[in-house]
Amino acid sequence: MDLKIAARMTAVIAIGAGLTATLMAISQRQGPEETPVFRSLDPGGEPENEARRELIRCRDLGAEALKDKACLKAWLESRRRFLKPSQSGEPAAPASRADQTVKP
């Protein structure tokens, strides 16, 4: 008899602890305004120039940057520089394996 009572008490204590932890987690919810935002003041990369300052300004504008023509122009230029074609104009092809012989 005593073993059954001890098992029931243990179960009640465990359920109580679980409910308490759940209630504490729900009450300490953080909203988006309370979440800290970490941004580097100097993200590195290329030296400071006008285009980079414009990209940083657009980043700080957030959703409003989608309507800003200067931001759209800065993003287009950034994509063009990043995705510029190779010097020859053609992509480099991988080395052909036809020149290599396979030895059994």
Side-chain angles (χ1 to χ4, degrees):
M1 264 317 201
D2 292 332
L3 186 60
K4 287 183 178 180
I5 293 174
R8 287 180 185 169
M9 288 177 47
T10 304
V12 168
I13 291 173
I15 291 172
L19 288 174
T20 303
T22 302
L23 290 175
M24 289 179 64
I26 290 174
S27 68
Q28 293 180 357
R29 229 179 351 184
Q30 284 188 343
E33 65 278 349
E34 297 174 5
T35 304
V37 176
F38 298 105
R39 289 192 177 152
S40 173
L41 294 176
D42 183 22
E46 63 188 46
E48 184 73 28
N49 59 25
E50 188 63 34
R52 182 174 167 155
R53 277 190 289 255
E54 183 66 20
L55 289 171
I56 292 172
R57 183 187 73 82
C58 293
R59 177 197 67 190
D60 293 338
L61 280 177
E64 292 297 317
L66 296 173
K67 300 173 187 171
D68 189 1
K69 291 188 181 203
C71 289
L72 296 174
K73 184 178 176 183
W75 289 332
L76 181 66
E77 177 63 23
S78 176
R79 272 188 238 111
R80 185 195 61 78
R81 282 186 295 134
F82 181 75
L83 299 172
K84 67 182 175 184
S86 63
Q87 299 294 353
S88 66
E90 295 181 21
S96 173
R97 296 188 70 105
D99 299 335
Q100 300 173 354
T101 58
V102 178
K103 296 181 182 179

